[in-house]
Amino acid sequence: MPTPTERLAPRPLMRDDVYARLRDAIVDGTFAPDEQLRDTDLAAWLGVSRTPVREALLELGRAGLVRAVPGRSTVVAPLELAAIRDAQGVVAAMHALVVRTAVPRLTSADFDRMRAANAAFAAAHAAGDADAALHADAEFHAVALAAAGNTAAAAVIAQYEPVLHRAERLRFASHEGAASVARHDELIRLCAAGDADGAAELAERTWQTLTIDPRPASRPATEGHPA
């Protein structure tokens, strides 16, 4: 049978969707550090077979979010300062590379998106909504990421940035949020001025100076996830 010529609308692969849902559940504290993750329970919770769950757990292991423990199968990785610092250095370097590449490519529409995302970040921080603030922060940095078009850098950031988000949301201090808003504004200014080196240096410093607190998160009240 010849390959059909009709183009199908792209859709995320099941394993990618499972990976994203498990990653987010670890980052937001639904699954606590050292909690055992059973693939049968996770498959039932997500309504999928065990195969994409196992594939997702392998990928989460490479990202440092889960680990295999003899006698306990797979558990959520504890928050360890050394691992967080390693991820921080890699993510900071990748964002610097991305911003340096993106500066000459950014458009007025891109700057509008960055300003809107920063306004949403400021509002979320003022409201004490950590999840909304992290989402807005991701939207802000996604503008330069898209403009740079560096798929290798994007893949590295996607792999290691959740480690930082997991730790970052535990320490959601208002003074740090205010500083982040100001840094975002300064990054926009440097990018708009065409200062690629200055913008890249600020982007790297922004990620390197995050206050990381590896203390365990308090478990949120949730329903429907496996024990």
Side-chain angles (χ1 to χ4, degrees):
M1 176 180 175
T3 302
T5 57
E6 180 184 0
R7 291 180 178 270
L8 298 177
R11 64 178 183 179
L13 297 174
M14 181 180 293
R15 65 172 179 269
D16 295 335
D17 183 57
V18 170
Y19 170 83
R21 294 185 65 181
L22 294 179
R23 176 202 62 203
D24 292 347
I26 293 170
V27 169
D28 69 19
T30 299
F31 296 123
D34 295 313
E35 180 171 352
Q36 186 172 2
L37 300 175
R38 301 178 180 87
D39 55 8
T40 52
D41 293 341
L42 295 173
W45 176 48
L46 297 171
V48 299
S49 70
R50 294 167 65 184
T51 298
V53 171
R54 288 172 174 172
E55 292 174 344
L57 290 175
L58 287 173
E59 189 67 24
L60 290 166
R62 286 189 283 268
L65 293 174
V66 304
R67 63 175 52 168
V69 176
R72 295 189 62 198
S73 187
T74 302
V75 302
V76 176
L79 288 160
E80 296 176 339
L81 187 57
I84 294 169
R85 292 300 186 194
D86 287 347
Q88 193 172 22
V90 170
V91 170
M94 289 299 99
H95 275 288
L97 171 64
V98 162
V99 167
R100 182 176 283 107
T101 304
V103 165
R105 305 177 183 182
L106 292 169
T107 67
S108 59
D110 289 328
F111 291 125
D112 287 343
R113 284 191 287 273
M114 293 173 76
R115 294 186 184 98
N118 198 28
F121 176 84
H125 220 287
D129 189 338
D131 291 327
L134 287 174
H135 176 75
D137 186 64
E139 290 293 310
F140 177 87
H141 293 289
V143 176
L145 196 60
N150 188 324
T151 56
V156 173
I157 289 171
Q159 181 173 356
Y160 290 105
E161 201 170 88
V163 175
L164 301 185
H165 287 164
R166 185 183 176 208
E168 185 185 4
R169 74 187 309 279
L170 306 183
R171 189 159 183 145
F172 200 66
S174 59
H175 70 279
E176 291 176 354
S180 293
V181 173
R183 282 194 293 265
H184 288 168
D185 282 335
E186 178 63 6
L187 185 60
I188 294 170
R189 187 191 71 78
L190 290 170
C191 289
D195 186 352
D197 290 337
E201 190 277 332
L202 176 58
E204 183 168 13
R205 189 169 74 246
T206 295
W207 288 94
Q208 285 282 23
T209 56
L210 286 174
T211 300
I212 300 298
D213 187 346
R215 292 174 298 179
S218 58
R219 191 183 186 90
T222 58
E223 296 179 359
H225 74 274

